[in-house]
């Protein structure tokens, strides 16, 4: 279809909390190059399943359009943090499997281990949750990176959480 051609954005479909780009569109050179350069992902095989944050980044670059109006803009805290790390050269992936919001890789996940497990939180976060999350990050050979996003000045603060060991 014309939506899969290089001079048109590719159409993505909302499915739950994800955006799916059909295999017929996802395998084109145009989108594959964009996914590699914007998101640090390797070649696409089959349907391209994007997180809300990944879809937001590709929508902002004009590479995809979404068939349904959903809040994929870069206004919520998770999306702002995703864009923050993406703009600093990190490859950002979903961290749910490791109890984090995101995982940060210096290279593609196929070529490197995630260095950080990232948790986006508020100042009133329950610290017992933070302790459990940081222990999980350390036990999976990742540094625990707590990110606090200020609503007032839109500042992003990064704090590496470490256990004190006397």
């Amino acid at each position: 279809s014309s939506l899969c051609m290089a001079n048109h954005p590719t159409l993505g479909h909302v499915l739950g909390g994800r955006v799916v780009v059909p295999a017929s569109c996802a395998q084109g050179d145009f989108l594959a190059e964009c996914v590699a350069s914007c998101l640090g992902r390797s070649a696409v095989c089959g349907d391209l399943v994007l997180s809300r944050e990944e879809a937001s980044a590709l929508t902002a670059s004009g590479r995809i359009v979404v068939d349904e109006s959903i809040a994929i803009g870069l206004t919520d805290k998770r999306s702002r943090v995703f864009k923050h790390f993406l703009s600093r050269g990190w490859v950002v992936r979903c961290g749910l499997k490791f109890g984090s919001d995101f995982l940060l890789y210096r290279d593609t996940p196929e070529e490197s281990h995630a260095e950080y497990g990232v948790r986006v939180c508020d100042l009133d976060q329950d610290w017992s949750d933070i302790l459990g999350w940081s222990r999980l990050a350390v036990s999976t050979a990742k540094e625990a990176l707590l990110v606090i996003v200020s609503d007032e000045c839109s500042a992003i603060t990064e704090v590496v959480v470490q256990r004190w060991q006397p």
Side-chain angles (χ1 to χ4, degrees):
S1 102
S2 64
L3 286 173
C4 299
M5 298 176 68
N7 56 350
H8 295 295
T10 301
L11 181 63
H13 306 282
V14 176
L15 182 63
R18 302 281 185 191
V19 174
V20 178
V21 177
S24 59
C25 296
Q27 293 171 352
D29 291 339
F30 173 71
L31 188 59
E33 285 177 20
C34 179
V35 168
S37 65
C38 293
L39 304 177
R41 283 196 183 190
S42 55
V44 177
C45 298
D47 292 344
L48 176 61
V49 180
L50 301 167
S51 70
R52 198 180 89 191
E53 293 81 15
E54 289 172 324
S56 181
L58 291 177
T59 299
S61 71
R63 307 302 176 148
I64 67 169
V65 293
V66 179
D67 68 348
E68 186 178 315
S69 177
I70 62 169
I72 63 168
L74 296 173
T75 55
D76 73 336
K77 291 179 181 183
R78 282 179 48 98
S79 293
R80 287 175 53 203
V81 169
F82 179 88
K83 185 177 179 185
H84 169 79
F85 287 115
L86 202 61
S87 71
R88 283 161 176 71
W90 289 98
V91 175
V92 185
R93 290 289 181 276
C94 176
L96 184 63
K97 183 173 162 182
F98 297 99
S100 299
D101 291 313
F102 302 111
L103 298 176
L104 300 182
Y105 297 84
R106 288 208 186 270
D107 207 341
T108 63
E110 294 83 14
E111 298 173 5
S112 67
H113 178 77
E115 292 185 36
Y116 295 95
V118 177
R119 173 69 77 81
V120 180
C121 71
D122 297 312
L123 290 174
D124 61 351
Q125 186 80 32
D126 180 2
W127 284 100
S128 63
D129 288 344
I130 299 299
L131 177 61
W133 161 73
S134 68
R135 285 182 159 200
L136 178 60
V138 169
S139 71
T140 57
K142 293 162 189 43
E143 287 201 62
L145 183 60
L146 188 63
V147 178
I148 302 164
V149 181
S150 167
D151 289 329
E152 298 82 36
C153 61
S154 68
I156 294 177
T157 305
E158 303 168 14
V159 179
V160 174
V161 178
Q162 296 177 328
R163 286 183 54 203
W164 179 67
Q165 297 177 346

